[in-house]
Amino acid sequence: MSEYAAPIDDMRFVINELCDLDGIGKLPGYEDATPDLIDAILEEGGKLAGDVIAPLNHNGDVEGCHIDNGVVRTPKGVKEAYAQFVDGGWNGVPFDPEYGGQGLPWLISTALSEMWSSANMAFGLCPMLTQGAVELLAEHGSDDLKARFLEKMVSGAWNGTMNLTEPQAGTDLARVRSKAQRHGDHYKITGQKIFITYGEHDMTDNIVHLVLARVPDAPPGIKGISLFVVPKFLVNDDGSLGERNDLRCVSIEHKLGISASPTAVMSFGDNDGAFGYLIGEENNGIRYMFTMMNNARLAVGLQGVAIGERAFQQARDFARERVQSRDAGGAGQEPVAIIHHPDVKRMLMSMKARTEAARALSYYTAATLDTAKRHPDEGHRGRAQALVDLLIPVVKAWSTDNGIDIASTGIQIHGGMGYIEETGAAQHLRDARIATIYEGTNGIQAIDLIGRKVARDNGATVALLIAEINGVIDDLNALGDENLSVIAKRLEEALGSLKLATDWIVACYGRNINDALAVAVPYLALMGHTTGGWMMGAAALAVTKSGATEPFAMAKVATARFYADHVLTDVSGLAEKVMRGGPSVTGINFDEI
């Protein structure tokens, strides 16, 4: 079983060259984000991930979580590792110093989050959701709620959860039945929630649940849902913990993967009703919760990157050591390490190229989010936010689809040994499988992309994106380099397919919405492949313009060329699916088959 080493060289390259760290550091409030400081943070984060968190991954998967006299116990060593994480201030990297945060860009927190999830995806889920809860409270909470909860949540001493769905509701939150009864200056919450990640555990003194529920006179459907803070322990005015709230963990789920992450069924108000604080105004809960959900969707997309990286490292190391069959192109008859065989090289390059493309697109989206939050010009902020809104469903869905496929390819490289749990390769695939499902299935992300992000503005934001990509194509062609010219040609062809497919989606969505929805997933894949190619082309351009000749730079160009030849060439077929495939889906009646 391989160890994990954070890919700091690639992280640093993407942050500096593709995400313009210098420009991010000029945004108001981010002046401390200097390259030297970021390098030091990445190095120390890599040590914590590789030396402390990663060694718990396999044993945590085997041991899992269990309930002991009503308390959920996490696997051996996890509680102590989380204490080191909190003591190091890692949870507070992107948050306001007023509440104990470090005030650094989300771009940097994104790179660190990749490390935590690569090292141990089950572990990384806890800070991932806490950070989303912090962002939601910071944006929508009252001054009293911020004073009562944020400092402890920013540090990670208290974790946050997202309590959305219920047994009868699934993704359809309009069917949420949990109730909130007004009770003086607070509310009494009753109901049951399912699939609550880190809903109960032994790692923190308090757990701050964000719970969707309905007040008695709420309108029906999605417009009648409110959002509440419901802590495990009530918090006194002086910040100390008070009595236990009326909530409990009914059970924890037995899952395909991420076994070290407790996924709880939570019951609120079995006795007198759980004490809850209203966030914002009644009946606006879904609007507030989208702050946390968008944060989580970006973070989940990053889990696809993280699993891809971990699976790639393990497959590469295995291929270097596994000796089998002679080199078909060589003169020798002795068997060689399988990393010399062309098909194994192809698989490894596919893993590497798609992971690097997804990493770059995820980091770029985080950097654009920083611009949307901090740029002094309102128009610039608005354009950046529109691009973030467009790219988040792509990052979430495309990166997690990649993560599953990359982890599966890693098993293939291991051969029969990959199917044996002891090697650890199978765990990556099992862990990756949930990421395409939670925080909105990838089909829902695709529907959101074509409806709210493409059709709603008649493709205007996609047109801005296409203009950005065209600029990179022009720069690639201008250098007269053979590899760059091929990359430019493939990217230009993919961009043409994206434009045709986008025009079709805009025209079809209003005319025949079901035909458009039937091809939403291939449209999202098309956009993912193309924007990933944009990032890879920009990477090859940056190292070529720098004149660097070291192996890292040469590998960047070679990986971008592979991506152009093996991934971008699939885009035209995806465009055909988008423009021709709808009727063969909608015309089927499964009641008759």
Side-chain angles (χ1 to χ4, degrees), residues 492-576:
E492 187 172 22
E493 291 167 348
L495 200 59
S497 293
L498 175 59
K499 186 177 187 310
L500 286 173
T502 300
D503 291 344
W504 186 91
I505 288 289
V506 170
C508 183
Y509 194 84
R511 183 182 68 243
N512 188 335
I513 189 171
N514 280 337
D515 275 358
L517 296 179
V519 295
V521 167
Y523 178 80
L524 187 147
L526 186 160
M527 184 173 284
H529 284 13
T530 304
T531 51
W534 168 40
M535 291 288 103
M536 297 301 279
L541 180 66
V543 296
T544 303
K545 288 173 71 174
S546 73
T549 58
E550 68 269 21
F552 176 84
M554 295 297 97
K556 272 292 168 197
V557 176
T559 306
R561 174 64 187 266
F562 178 94
Y563 188 97
D565 288 341
H566 291 262
V567 180
L568 286 180
T569 47
D570 290 340
V571 169
S572 61
L574 288 168
E576 285 296 309

Side-chain angles (χ1 to χ4, degrees), residues 124-327:
L125 279 163
C126 185
M128 182 194 94
L129 288 170
T130 302
Q131 288 187 338
V134 168
E135 188 178 23
L136 187 152
L137 278 178
E139 186 165 337
H140 303 295
S142 65
D143 289 341
D144 178 67
L145 288 179
K146 292 176 185 178
R148 196 175 295 265
F149 292 103
L150 274 188
E151 185 174 344
K152 290 286 191 179
M153 293 177 70
V154 164
S155 73
W158 297 350
N159 77 288
T161 73
M162 187 188 329
N163 289 250
L164 280 72
T165 197
E166 299 172 7
Q168 80 290 342
T171 302
D172 186 4
L173 297 179
R175 301 182 65 197
V176 162
R177 295 177 186 163
S178 293
K179 295 178 179 149
Q181 185 71 45
R182 299 179 188 92
H183 197 273
D185 63 351
H186 62 277
Y187 293 74
K188 290 295 184 75
I189 312 298
T190 56
Q192 188 177 96
K193 298 290 183 177
I194 60 172
F195 303 148
I196 309 307
T197 301
Y198 280 90
E200 177 59 42
H201 57 85
D202 58 357
M203 291 159 51
T204 61
D205 293 334
N206 204 4
I207 301 172
V208 182
H209 299 286
L210 301 185
V211 182
L212 292 178
R214 296 182 185 278
V215 297
D217 51 357
I222 206 81
K223 294 180 180 178
I225 298 177
S226 301
L227 181 61
F228 303 87
V229 176
V230 188
K232 176 179 177 181
F233 288 95
L234 301 183
V235 180
N236 299 319
D237 290 340
D238 64 359
S240 63
L241 294 182
E243 64 184 78
R244 173 73 182 253
N245 209 351
D246 184 13
L247 57 89
R248 66 189 180 94
C249 172
V250 176
S251 63
I252 55 174
E253 305 291 357
H254 302 282
K255 308 186 296 288
L256 176 68
I258 53 169
S259 299
S261 164
T263 304
V265 176
M266 298 297 300
S267 182
F268 296 88
D270 288 351
N271 299 307
D272 189 40
F275 191 111
Y277 305 88
L278 177 69
I279 296 176
E281 299 176 346
E282 291 181 353
N283 304 324
N284 278 308
I286 291 296
R287 182 168 68 85
Y288 304 142
M289 186 58 85
F290 261 105
T291 299
M292 186 172 183
M293 284 193 286
N294 277 332
N295 180 294
R297 285 170 179 175
L298 178 58
V300 169
L302 202 67
Q303 289 179 337
V305 179
I307 288 291
E309 176 65 35
R310 188 70 189 272
F312 167 71
Q313 288 190 19
Q314 179 157 345
R316 178 201 60 199
D317 293 348
F318 178 85
R320 285 171 172 168
E321 297 174 0
R322 175 66 168 171
V323 175
Q324 184 175 306
S325 303
R326 69 180 186 85
D327 182 351

